[in-house]
Amino acid sequence: MIKHKVRVKVPASTANLGPGFDALGMALNLHAWIDMEIAEETSFHWVGEQLKGIPVDKSNLIYQVAQMVFDYAGVSHPELRITMYSEIPLTRGLGSSASAIIGALAGANALIGGKLSQDELFQIATKLEKHPDNVGASLFGGIVVAFWDGSRAEYIRLEPDVHLEVLVAIPSFQLSTEKARNVLPQQITLQDAVYNLSHSSLLVAALSTGNLGMIKHAMKDRLHQQYRAALIPGMLEILERATDHGALGAALSGAGPTMLALFDSRNENKAELENFLKQTFMKESIEIELLWLKPSLEGVSVTNLTESSPELQDLFKGEVKA
Ligand code: HSE
């Protein structure tokens, strides 16, 4: 049965969690909403300032990904009305492009009655992103441990500890994943490889057993963060000293520039960690926004809309022109 209008809610995500480069992801309770409808003519409607400048023609990522789903399922729906509102800052390392891909996949699939399985959506999304960390988290929620071998992705989802909170410091500048990947070496030493696989394994064990005290030892990396440090002034100091200010551990969020600190909600001194992050970036003359987040247990979700459902424009801040 074809459903004609759906609303997708998709969480942001943080990738790597330090040592789990391209392998670990965690969904965060910051969201994007996409309404998708089979229409007579394609149109795009962005709600709020966040999405200003995103293409409003058929080159649009959400449109393109939706068409991939239709092709895959052997159906044709070339005209779509797409409306979107997002709280997820763009190009900051919080999985905005992964959330758009997952939102488009889930929305288009719902419009054709869910012909594709979750696994098929995960495989398509991973192929598009080339790593499963962000897309896995946005699709399944919680913490996702995954690999992609170039043809298939496999994953296990972990339930985040109930005490886990996340403080993100989002710099005002953007950093593309491409740029942050271009600074990485193509070869590393065996010693660094062992360092990362042991830390990443320990981190997964700590997260899955609720051994939060182990995170400060485990959340260390030699595969990507030090090479990216020049792109994010202040990062090395945060990685080194955040645990002295109450963090369970700290990492670059995905490819950056956002910095992420894990925190135990039973610790009442949030202000000390906030001040440390603020001051560290201030010394580098970098403006940041601090946000307290929680892991999102839920991944992408889809609801069917009816004539009487309020528009995203009514639920949020009104439409802007791209
Ligand atoms: N694992 C990827 C990276 C995430 O660090 O480059 C980018 O979104």
Side-chain angles (χ1 to χ4, degrees):
M1 194 195 85
I2 289 183
K3 296 174 188 125
H4 287 282
K5 187 168 181 184
V6 294
R7 175 163 297 157
V8 185
K9 181 182 178 191
V10 55
S13 59
T14 182
N16 307 331
L17 295 173
F21 181 72
D22 282 0
L24 300 183
M26 180 164 69
L28 297 170
N29 69 339
L30 197 65
H31 294 93
W33 286 260
I34 299 169
D35 283 2
M36 199 181 276
E37 186 176 0
I38 293 167
E40 307 256 292
E41 200 184 330
T42 293
S43 64
F44 300 86
H45 308 268
W46 303 151
V47 181
E49 293 298 310
Q50 189 81 278
L51 300 168
K52 231 176 162 184
I54 301 275
V56 285
D57 56 35
K58 289 184 174 174
S59 72
N60 179 276
L61 177 67
I62 294 170
Y63 176 86
Q64 293 274 333
V65 172
Q67 294 305 321
M68 266 177 220
V69 172
F70 301 148
D71 288 349
Y72 194 98
V75 298
S76 169
H77 296 296
E79 307 301 330
L80 292 173
R81 177 184 163 92
I82 295 170
T83 307
M84 183 172 182
Y85 171 71
S86 182
E87 300 171 338
I88 310 169
L90 302 180
T91 350
R92 298 298 207 291
L94 289 167
S96 59
S97 87
S99 68
I101 289 172
I102 293 298
L105 288 171
N109 193 37
L111 283 177
I112 57 168
K115 286 186 196 290
L116 275 60
S117 66
Q118 290 284 89
D119 182 65
E120 284 172 308
L121 299 184
F122 182 45
Q123 301 305 326
I124 299 173
T126 302
K127 267 194 194 102
L128 286 169
E129 276 281 275
K130 306 268 188 289
H131 31 85
D133 41 8
N134 290 107
V135 290
S138 278
L139 182 57
F140 303 115
I143 295 168
V144 167
V145 186
F147 75 76
W148 185 54
D149 63 9
S151 61
R152 256 201 75 77
E154 300 294 346
Y155 79 97
I156 289 183
R157 179 193 179 283
L158 303 176
E159 197 68 12
D161 189 278
V162 289
H163 300 294
L164 212 53
E165 280 194 66
V166 180
L167 178 60
V168 289
I170 309 168
S172 53
F173 66 91
Q174 305 197 342
L175 175 58
S176 73
T177 300
E178 195 191 353
K179 188 169 173 193
R181 287 180 90 85
N182 281 342
V183 298
L184 302 181
Q186 289 305 305
Q187 255 113 40
I188 57 156
T189 62
L190 180 63
Q191 212 181 13
D192 284 353
V194 171
Y195 186 95
N196 262 68
L197 80 83
S198 52
H199 283 76
S200 181
S201 305
L202 188 64
L203 182 60
V204 170
L207 291 168
S208 52
T209 56
N211 190 338
L212 301 185
M214 191 56 83
I215 291 176
K216 67 171 178 292
H217 302 294
M219 214 172 169
K220 290 185 176 158
D221 152 77
R222 283 195 194 153
L223 203 52
H224 67 109
Q225 293 180 150
Q226 79 261 33
Y227 303 109
R228 291 171 161 173
L231 301 171
I232 305 112
M235 177 175 98
L236 290 180
E237 186 176 347
I238 292 168
L239 293 181
E240 224 172 275
R241 296 188 41 226
T243 51
D244 299 339
H245 296 275
L248 293 168
L252 183 65
S253 182
T258 293
M259 292 300 300
L260 160 130
L262 298 184
F263 195 78
D264 187 327
S265 59
R266 288 163 293 191
N267 177 348
E268 280 164 20
N269 197 355
K270 287 185 163 177
E272 183 181 346
L273 185 59
E274 288 174 8
N275 288 337
F276 168 65
L277 292 180
K278 250 189 248 166
Q279 278 162 17
T280 308
F281 276 120
M282 204 189 287
K283 275 193 281 181
E284 304 291 344
S285 307
I286 293 173
E287 273 180 43
I288 56 156
E289 182 188 0
L290 285 178
L291 278 183
W292 279 101
L293 300 173
K294 288 206 162 75
S296 169
L297 306 188
E298 235 190 284
V300 68
S301 61
V302 184
T303 48
N304 294 315
L305 298 182
T306 61
E307 289 290 313
S308 59
S309 305
E311 298 283 335
L312 285 179
Q313 289 89 327
D314 302 325
L315 290 177
F316 299 105
K317 299 171 193 156
E319 190 167 344
V320 292
K321 293 280 161 242

